[in-house]
Amino acid sequence: MPRLVGRRLLAALPVLFIVSLLTFGVTLLVPGDPAVTLAGENATPEQVDQTRERLGLNDPIYVQYGRWLGGALQGDLGESLYDQRPVVDSILERVPVTFGLAVLAVLFAAALAIPSGVISATRRGSIWDRAITLVSSAGVAIPNYFLGMLLILLFAFGLGWLPAVGYVPFTESPGDWFLHLLLPALCLGVAGWAEITRQIRSAMIQELEQDYARTATAKGLRRRAVIFKHAAKNASVPAITVTGLQVAYLFGGTVIIERMFGIPGLGQFAISAVYVRDIPVIQGVVIVATVVVIVTNLIVDTLYPLLNPKVRPA
Amino acid sequence: MTTKNAATGTATGPEPRSGGPERRLHAGAIRRMVRRFRRQRAPMVALGFLALLVLSVVAAPLISPYDPLEQHLAAVLQGPSAEYWFGTDELGRDLFSRVLDGGRVSLLGAVQALVVGLAIGLPLGLLAGYFSGVTDMIVMRFTDALMSFPPLVMMLAIVAALGPNLTNAMLALGVVFAPRFIRLVRGVVLALREEPYIEAARSIGVAAPSIIVRHIIPNALPPLIVQVSLATGFAILAEASLSFLGLGVQPPQASWGSMLSQGFSSLGQSPTMIVFPGVAIALTVLACNVVGDGLRESIGREVRSE
């Protein structure tokens, strides 16, 4: 096991290196003189020179990259051009907010996807299967923010059960925290739910057609036992992979959902930085989000052999 | 051209066995794909919907009852009526005309992104697959890295650097698509490279470009078409997301996404404003996905990757 983890980590290194290269390269995309853009619209020539000096833009590009990477490895992602605060501090402040939202979204998605996937696989072609397939197709197609607006209209404006926007930290009041995150997490989780449901459905159908499932049924095992003890265990492997892959999309989703619902998380932070073109902040968020995605995939890859001995290396 | 022949030359009913294996052998991969596709009901309906949509956004200036930018200040934030079918926005602009006009922006944006993605992905995928070795390794490591960025976050970074407008947003989306197309094309090429007829072509001295154009690209097309149709749905969603955030299309021009964000600010006064652009996005994306799934079902087992 430790050897496997080591090998995966080693394989992730070149990817991480290129990710850092590309993230740093964002600065190079800024058209014209980056110092002019980065100093802001109303900067005087002196301020532009200062910016150039401060950011070391006179140095050769590889020196700039080396400095940036060196900093990043030590947890220094530079300062915001907007409020001069260290990017890392601002990110760390917001991570718990986004983390809570994302965990709730994944929990919703998985908790709903397991029954819906199993039901549609075991009753293939039934009205339930059709309904679930239809709703999950719609779930992938509907923009989550549109769904968010509909839910706000219904639950906040119409029924008045839930707050429309805003955020309360968990440490202040767990109940209010949950109520404020309920709608956003639902919106965020819908696409994941649809994706995981589809995956569970097709994996379960495949497993139930296998010889071992037929044997289990033939030797008189109850259907429930065949489904949950045998098929579900094997079908869970691809389902977990898909759940892991959802994390990348979740990060994108939080940007819009946090902005819409006024949740002060990483996504909201990123989008405000884009408006003022605060490149160091963007780079910081990009690198943190991407590393989280890579680590998640690494964890999923490592879980794989635990669940499915067939792929366990000899 | 092949598609047209296939479309006119096939019956809608089940494939006639009397056609003989000989004829089927000569029919191209695309032709077989079209034939199988035409037998599926839901994908055909979805395709019909998309065709109608494209037609109506192209003919928007002829169909629209009003200029999408014309303000009717006596009739702001109205619900649907005989005069304004979809209602009006806070400046009294006709929402039906704006949904049609926004549809053109959304669809053109998607096309732009796909063209960029294919322009990067196709040649790099061919290179990596055909020449393998170091070229392959370098291209694939970059592909892995690009794919580990969360798509929307990467687009945000590119748009932040280049500046917010629709062209840059769609350029960024094209970069998101590129690694997916690279992987697909490379996979097909790798599988084909070992085929006896490709080896034969190579051994009688046919040049690489000629093999790629005459043998590899036609075989890579069916799975590529599936991916493109699924990517179109994603492109429409992504364009809408960026425009919703104000980073895509800039006012006074509107796309479905920016209309949603506009509607969101008047959600309390006029809830109908969000309905039509939202439904338009959902239906279009759904149609693209259904067509894509139908196409995937239509690919012969001979080129299906799984």
Side-chain angles (χ1 to χ4, degrees):
Chain A
M1 205 55 194
R3 265 186 61 199
L4 180 73
V5 176
R7 213 163 47 210
R8 297 254 197 247
L9 272 174
L10 224 58
L13 280 181
V15 171
L16 280 171
F17 170 69
I18 300 175
V19 162
S20 77
L21 214 59
L22 292 173
T23 309
F24 173 77
V26 166
T27 334
L28 305 179
L29 287 178
V30 178
D33 184 351
V36 174
T37 313
L38 298 181
E41 271 174 28
N42 304 317
T44 60
E46 290 80 46
Q47 281 171 318
V48 172
D49 281 339
Q50 268 174 14
T51 308
R52 191 173 291 132
E53 198 55 47
R54 187 161 54 86
L55 299 174
L57 293 174
N58 290 322
D59 296 330
I61 195 75
Y62 58 88
V63 174
Q64 292 182 42
Y65 169 69
R67 192 166 41 221
W68 181 80
L69 184 66
L73 287 175
Q74 294 169 44
D76 174 13
L77 291 168
E79 284 174 0
S80 158
L81 300 172
Y82 188 67
D83 62 7
Q84 272 75 46
R85 283 194 62 199
V87 174
V88 170
D89 293 358
S90 309
I91 288 180
L92 286 178
E93 262 169 35
R94 289 166 174 86
V95 162
V97 180
T98 301
F99 182 75
L101 176 61
V103 166
L104 276 184
V106 172
L107 281 181
F108 279 141
L112 294 173
I114 293 168
S116 59
V118 171
I119 288 173
S120 41
T122 49
R123 298 179 194 178
R124 189 143 56 120
S126 70
I127 183 99
W128 285 104
D129 180 27
R130 282 158 181 270
I132 288 168
T133 307
L134 187 75
V135 176
S136 62
S137 305
V140 182
I142 290 179
N144 50 20
Y145 41 95
F146 177 51
L147 189 71
M149 293 179 205
L150 296 179
L151 291 177
I152 289 180
L153 275 177
L154 179 63
F155 289 106
F157 290 1
L159 300 168
W161 290 353
L162 291 166
V165 293
Y167 178 77
V168 176
F170 184 80
T171 44
E172 233 167 74
S173 159
D176 278 343
W177 170 82
F178 182 73
L179 285 181
H180 279 89
L181 285 187
L182 192 58
L183 289 184
L186 269 178
C187 300
L188 203 53
V190 164
W193 164 75
E195 208 59 60
I196 302 169
T197 299
R198 267 195 195 186
Q199 190 61 52
I200 293 183
R201 180 181 184 274
S202 66
M204 279 291 280
I205 287 177
Q206 218 180 342
E207 293 302 329
L208 286 172
E209 280 171 358
Q210 298 280 316
D211 287 341
Y212 75 84
R214 206 174 311 146
T215 310
T217 315
K219 73 172 187 187
L221 210 61
R222 286 225 313 269
R223 180 137 173 89
R224 193 173 288 263
V226 177
I227 292 169
F228 289 101
K229 280 216 168 129
H230 295 284
K233 205 176 155 197
N234 290 327
S236 66
V237 178
I240 287 183
T241 315
V242 171
T243 312
L245 290 177
Q246 288 304 313
V247 173
Y249 288 94
L250 229 66
F251 258 113
T254 54
V255 174
I256 300 183
I257 293 297
E258 286 183 355
R259 177 157 181 80
M260 216 179 120
F261 285 93
I263 299 165
L266 267 187
Q268 169 97 278
F269 184 51
I271 186 73
S272 339
V274 174
Y275 290 141
V276 294
R277 300 179 79 177
D278 194 340
I279 302 290
V281 168
I282 299 289
Q283 285 174 322
V285 175
V286 169
I287 204 89
V288 168
T290 310
V291 168
V292 169
V293 169
I294 292 176
V295 170
T296 314
N297 289 339
L298 212 63
I299 294 174
V300 170
D301 275 353
T302 326
L303 280 179
Y304 224 89
L306 285 181
L307 286 160
N308 187 353
K310 270 192 288 184
V311 296
R312 211 174 280 168
Chain B
M1 263 185 294
T2 337
T3 341
K4 204 176 166 192
N5 287 343
T8 48
T10 40
T12 29
E15 204 173 318
R17 283 187 178 262
S18 56
E22 215 179 312
R23 238 187 70 196
R24 229 174 298 161
L25 209 69
H26 286 109
I30 296 280
R31 247 175 105 167
R32 282 194 297 268
M33 191 174 175
V34 170
R35 192 157 50 206
R36 292 195 189 102
F37 184 81
R38 284 167 55 116
R39 282 193 220 126
Q40 301 176 66
R41 199 167 46 159
M44 282 300 283
V45 171
L47 190 67
F49 170 79
L50 288 179
L52 199 71
L53 180 75
V54 170
L55 215 67
S56 37
V57 299
V58 169
L62 301 173
I63 306 172
S64 299
Y66 304 94
D67 182 321
L69 296 179
E70 189 188 335
Q71 303 180 5
H72 309 267
L73 292 171
V76 295
L77 289 174
Q78 284 193 351
S81 63
E83 202 176 346
Y84 305 103
W85 294 352
F86 288 0
T88 57
D89 68 6
E90 76 277 7
L91 293 173
R93 294 176 294 196
D94 177 46
L95 283 176
F96 178 65
S97 311
R98 283 177 75 71
V99 166
L100 280 182
D101 190 57
R104 204 180 55 228
V105 177
S106 296
L107 294 184
L108 275 179
V111 171
Q112 271 179 10
L114 288 169
V115 167
V116 172
L118 285 172
I120 306 172
L122 204 56
L124 283 178
L126 286 171
L127 271 180
Y130 198 83
F131 295 104
S132 59
V134 183
T135 322
D136 184 38
M137 204 199 71
I138 295 174
V139 171
M140 288 326 283
R141 286 295 86 72
F142 268 93
T143 307
D144 288 345
L146 274 176
M147 287 194 61
S148 46
F149 289 103
L152 191 69
V153 175
M154 180 157 92
M155 287 193 271
L156 286 184
I158 297 175
V159 170
L162 294 177
N165 65 54
L166 189 63
T167 308
N168 290 344
M170 291 304 104
L171 199 70
L173 185 54
V175 176
V176 168
F177 285 144
R180 285 147 181 93
F181 291 142
I182 292 178
R183 277 202 178 173
L184 178 102
V185 173
R186 172 182 176 268
V188 174
V189 177
L190 277 181
L192 282 174
R193 244 166 47 114
E194 306 307 323
E195 291 281 325
Y197 72 95
I198 303 270
E199 271 218 70
R202 215 173 334 168
S203 59
I204 59 170
V206 182
S210 168
I211 293 180
I212 288 176
V213 171
R214 301 204 28 198
H215 298 298
I216 296 197
I217 291 184
N219 278 299
L221 268 183
L224 201 59
I225 292 172
V226 173
Q227 276 316 304
V228 166
S229 62
L230 294 174
T232 309
F234 185 77
I236 288 166
L237 272 181
E239 186 279 329
S241 302
L242 287 174
S243 293
F244 179 79
L245 292 169
L247 301 172
V249 65
Q250 299 299 319
Q253 217 188 7
S255 79
W256 292 336
S258 65
M259 292 175 72
L260 271 181
S261 111
Q262 204 193 340
F264 183 51
S265 19
S266 357
L267 197 60
Q269 300 112 53
S270 175
T272 48
M273 244 177 97
I274 60 161
V275 173
F276 297 102
V279 169
I281 298 173
L283 280 182
T284 310
V285 176
L286 186 65
C288 289
N289 291 347
V290 171
V291 169
D293 287 342
L295 286 170
R296 181 158 46 201
E297 292 298 312
S298 316
I299 296 187
R301 213 157 272 147
E302 66 275 8
V303 278
R304 212 178 285 169
S305 40
E306 291 98 6

